[in-house]
């Protein structure tokens, strides 16, 4: 349209409006060196102040609440501080104290077990559901609404609700089902071996919907020619699922796997509200330990040191993971 | 990342998709004409719908039932529908006795502030990065992007310390809503989402307006904002839902019960409150998001589909 005619009739561009360069630089002054005052003046004339004002909300909030805290944790981790007395520099002693805490290895084990279980229980389910849901025509909307419904529930409410379901008496919701089947009632959150699996089931319930919707969106954008071609070649529905759908989803699946791993390694709300770390510290997670160091013991340096260690661990994990999967997806 | 594409193309695509009902998926129309395929799909559909109703909807229905039951009924006969009659009184009792009304009001305040500041930062920042593009925009963009890759746990403690004594200003934000509003506004994800959207808008419109003498603010207010309704919708939805679900942060920075939102307040009373009132309170805190979700389900699902992948 208009921009087309403009580019086509390039020669008589004299009457076309001159398009000034984006930045504050006024045109035609390229060669000459200007004094700082003149540069400032032209910056102001070019709308530089207004531009800066536009950036202010971002610069202020990120400066105060994103960039500074990251720098601050690098300071705090090397200080002994309870926020009341003057902080003192202590070198690596916070890290030494963290690593010497026997509870650290319990928490690490619990968190890793949580992450593994969450992957085993919660990972394949959304993929499967999305693959089936993509084939539905009339019921796709209603099934996606149902699948996403638990995601809308605030986590604390969801945890408190499931805590009620896990009621250990024989009239508890789950136990009354067991009793009807002739099975002894179970102390879901009281038995050391069952506590983490019970929490994983609840958190899978609460979060599987997000993953399902994301996979569904990815499935909807698979180019249909791929299916057409496979069908012409005589591939059955299951073969197409295996050789077209899943390979096309691979990028999303790999990303979601990493994100879920990073997310579950920072799990806090579920065990904190459900069990408070018990029984016998079997549900204490790494982030709960950070919380305890800071807000129960008032040892902010130690808490920061642990959170930094966790972050470095997660960073390494992501790097290794991305490296491995890149190799794998190339082959 | 493909998930960060601006909204309009995506919306347009799904619109054309709806119009073109013959759009195929894995199972083609030819497959569907086969009997075994038809039967299998129907069986799978029924199984999926039933399973989802039981698993996803069941707990919520049970919560609704429990909210209107006596504590006795909840604990003794969890599967019976109101053996002692429906207890409507639970709702007003929870409202006044465990202060659910106050928590609800606080939650709405928290969500409103998070929404306002989240939009303010994301829209102005996105405009600066994607449209104004001064020389330092690349640095700012990089610094925003970097925070996306740093796990939240790194800054939890130091963020708390910062809020306790804001550098240079020397104010303590603990026990004010600012302590929740401002940190939540520093969301790299929202800024990126908006910047991607703005980058997809036609540049010549902005340039024409600039030539006509419109300043930075005028272009933002009269041209960019009216064009950004889709992205405003997505960011609004994401920030409000996130603030409604937030737990750990408000627990830390709002120790005063008078200011606590529902999630924190319910957690605090969960050990002492009577079971039926707790359930009634939980029900109240679920009703608003669920009703909003059912009304705006398409928008919710679309923004979750395109945005959730990066959010994690």
């Amino acid at each position: 349209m208009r921009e087309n005619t403009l580019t086509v009739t390039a020669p008589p561009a004299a009457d076309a409006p001159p398009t000034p360069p984006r930045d504050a630089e006024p045109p035609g002054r390229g060669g000459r060196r200007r004094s700082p005052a003149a540069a400032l003046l032209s910056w102001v004339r070019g709308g530089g102040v207004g531009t800066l004002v536009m950036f202010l909300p971002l610069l202020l909030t990120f400066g105060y609440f994103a960039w500074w805290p990251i720098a601050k944790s690098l300071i705090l981790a090397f200080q002994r501080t309870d926020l009341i007395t003057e902080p003192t520099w202590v070198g690596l002693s916070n890290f030494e104290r963290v690593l010497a805490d026997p509870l650290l290895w319990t928490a690490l084990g619990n968190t890793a077990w949580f992450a593994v279980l969450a992957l085993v229980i919660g990972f394949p389910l959304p993929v499967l559901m999305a693959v089936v849901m993509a084939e539905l025509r009339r019921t796709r909307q209603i099934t996606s609404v149902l699948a996403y419904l638990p995601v809308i529930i605030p986590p604390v409410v969801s945890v408190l609700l499931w805590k009620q379901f896990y009621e250990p008496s024989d009239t508890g919701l789950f136990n009354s089902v067991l009793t009807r089947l002739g099975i002894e009632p179970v102390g879901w959150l009281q038995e050391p071996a069952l506590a983490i699996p019970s929490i994983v089931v609840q958190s899978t319930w609460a979060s599987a919907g997000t993953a399902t919707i994301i996979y569904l969106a990815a499935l909807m954008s698979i180019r249909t020619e791929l299916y057409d071609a496979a069908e012409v070649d005589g591939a059955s529905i299951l073969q197409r699922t295996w050789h077209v759908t899943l390979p096309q989803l691979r990028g999303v699946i790999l990303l979601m796997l990493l994100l879920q791993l990073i997310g579950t390694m920072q799990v806090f709300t579920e065990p904190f509200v459900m069990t408070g770390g018990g029984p016998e510290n079997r549900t204490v997670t790494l982030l709960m330990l950070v919380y305890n160091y800071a807000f129960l013991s008032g040892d902010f340096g130690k808490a920061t040191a642990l959170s930094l260690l966790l972050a470095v661990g997660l960073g390494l994990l992501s790097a290794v993971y991305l490296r491995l999967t890149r190799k794998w997806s190339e082959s | 990342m493909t998930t960060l594409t601006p909204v309009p193309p995506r919306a347009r695509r799904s619109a054309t998709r709806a119009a073109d009902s013959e759009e195929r998926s894995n199972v083609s129309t030819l497959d569907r004409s086969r009997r075994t395929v038809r039967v299998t799909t129907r069986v799978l559909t029924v199984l999926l719908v039933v399973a989802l109703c039981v698993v996803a909807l069941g707990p919520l229905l049970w919560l609704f039932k429990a909210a209107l039951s006596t504590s006795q009924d909840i604990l003794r006969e969890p599967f019976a529908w109101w053996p002692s009659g429906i207890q409507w009184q639970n709702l007003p009792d929870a409202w006044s006795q465990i202060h659910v009304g106050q928590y609800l009001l606080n939650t709405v305040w928290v969500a409103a502030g998070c929404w306002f500041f989240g939009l303010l930062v994301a829209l102005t920042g996105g405009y600066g990065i994607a449209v104004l593009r001064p020389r330092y925009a690349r640095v700012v963009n990089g610094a925003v992007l970097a925070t996306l890759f740093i796990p939240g746990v790194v800054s939890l403690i130091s963020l708390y310390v910062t809020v306790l004594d804001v550098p240079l200003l020397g104010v303590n934000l603990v026990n004010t809503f600012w302590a929740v509003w401002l940190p939540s506004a520093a969301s790299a994800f929202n800024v990126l989402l908006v910047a991607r959207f703005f980058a997809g808008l036609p540049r010549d419109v902005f340039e024409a307006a600039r030539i006509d003498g419109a300043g930075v603010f005028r272009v933002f207010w009269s041209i960019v904002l009216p064009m950004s309704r889709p992205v405003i919708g997505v960011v609004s939805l994401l920030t409000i839902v996130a603030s409604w679900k937030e737990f750990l942060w408000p627990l830390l920075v709002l120790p005063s019960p008078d200011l606590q939102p529902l999630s924190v307040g319910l957690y605090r009373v969960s050990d002492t409150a009577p079971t039926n009132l707790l359930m009634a309170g939980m029900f109240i805190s679920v009703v608003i998001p669920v009703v909003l979700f059912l009304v705006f389900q398409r928008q919710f699902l679309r923004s979750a589909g395109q945005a959730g992948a990066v959010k994690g």
Side-chain angles (χ1 to χ4, degrees), chain B:
Chain B
M1 266 168 247
T2 50
T3 41
L4 279 174
T5 44
V7 183
R10 184 72 67 119
R12 262 204 308 275
R13 213 160 36 165
S14 70
T16 52
R17 186 156 276 167
D20 182 11
S21 60
E22 281 309 296
E23 180 83 56
R24 70 161 296 165
S25 51
N26 185 349
V27 181
S28 65
T29 322
L30 182 69
D31 290 328
R32 279 175 212 269
S33 66
R34 298 216 317 267
R35 218 184 113 90
T36 44
V37 173
R38 265 211 323 267
V39 171
T40 320
T41 351
R42 201 151 295 168
V43 169
L44 271 178
T45 309
V46 171
L47 277 181
L48 186 69
V49 171
V50 169
L52 279 174
C53 279
V54 172
V55 174
L57 200 58
L60 289 182
L61 290 179
W62 188 86
L63 176 61
F64 171 68
K65 183 211 83 122
L68 301 176
S69 300
T70 61
S71 295
Q72 279 285 4
D73 287 354
I74 297 170
L75 294 168
R76 293 283 153 77
E77 291 177 86
F79 281 113
W81 292 97
W82 300 298
S84 320
I86 297 182
Q87 313 292 318
W88 292 107
Q89 193 55 35
N90 282 353
L91 296 174
D93 281 356
W95 191 269
S96 55
Q97 284 176 31
I98 59 173
H99 310 293
V100 167
Q102 180 66 46
Y103 303 145
L104 184 65
L105 200 68
N106 295 339
T107 313
V108 170
W109 255 117
V110 166
C114 287
W115 172 77
F116 176 78
F117 288 104
L119 270 187
L120 178 73
V121 170
L123 288 173
T124 55
Y127 175 57
I129 289 171
V131 179
L132 298 175
R133 295 195 231 163
R135 274 194 224 111
Y136 51 84
R138 292 176 67 98
V139 182
V140 174
N141 189 34
V144 168
L145 199 68
T147 62
L148 198 67
F149 293 101
I150 293 174
V153 58
V154 181
S155 41
L156 179 71
I157 302 297
S158 47
L159 186 60
Y160 178 77
V161 174
T162 307
V163 163
L164 213 55
D165 180 14
V166 180
L168 305 178
L169 302 176
V171 289
N172 179 355
L173 297 180
V174 168
N175 266 333
T176 66
F177 287 134
W178 297 99
V180 184
W181 292 340
L182 295 180
S184 91
S187 156
F189 179 78
N190 288 346
V191 174
L192 282 172
L193 202 68
V194 173
R196 285 292 175 102
F197 179 84
F198 286 170
L201 294 176
R203 282 202 72 79
D204 27 334
V205 179
F206 308 135
E207 264 149 31
R210 291 294 276 283
I211 290 154
D212 289 347
V216 171
F217 299 103
R218 185 69 197 275
V219 172
F220 179 69
W221 189 256
S222 318
I223 296 174
V224 174
L225 278 191
M227 289 168 100
S228 37
R229 275 180 54 183
V231 80
I232 290 179
V234 172
V235 173
S236 304
L237 217 79
L238 292 175
T239 37
I240 291 175
V241 170
S243 77
W244 201 277
K245 295 174 72 167
E246 188 81 70
F247 171 68
L248 175 56
W249 187 248
L251 176 77
L252 294 181
V253 296
L254 298 174
S256 159
D258 295 340
L259 298 174
Q260 284 173 346
L262 272 165
S263 58
V264 182
L266 287 174
Y267 165 71
R268 199 171 37 78
V269 302
S270 64
D271 282 336
T272 51
T275 311
N276 57 342
L277 296 194
L278 183 64
M279 293 293 147
M282 281 156 62
F283 177 69
I284 292 172
S285 75
V286 159
V287 159
I288 295 174
V290 166
V291 167
L292 282 179
F293 169 58
L294 293 180
V295 173
F296 295 106
Q297 28 147 328
R298 274 169 207 282
Q299 288 84 339
F300 268 85
L301 294 174
R302 193 187 302 146
S303 53
Q306 67 170 357
V310 180
K311 196 126 189 172

Side-chain angles (χ1 to χ4, degrees), chain A residues 62-87:
Chain A
F62 273 78
Y64 273 119
F65 304 110
W67 300 325
W68 168 244
I70 291 170
K72 178 79 178 172
S73 41
L74 292 176
I75 300 171
L76 273 176
F78 299 96
Q79 287 181 332
R80 179 77 52 96
T81 175
D82 56 5
L83 301 187
I84 299 159
T85 51
E86 197 64 21

Side-chain angles (χ1 to χ4, degrees), chain A residues 167-178:
Chain A
E167 191 61 28
S169 69
D170 59 347
T171 53
L173 190 92
F174 288 158
N175 278 340
S176 74
V177 176
L178 289 189

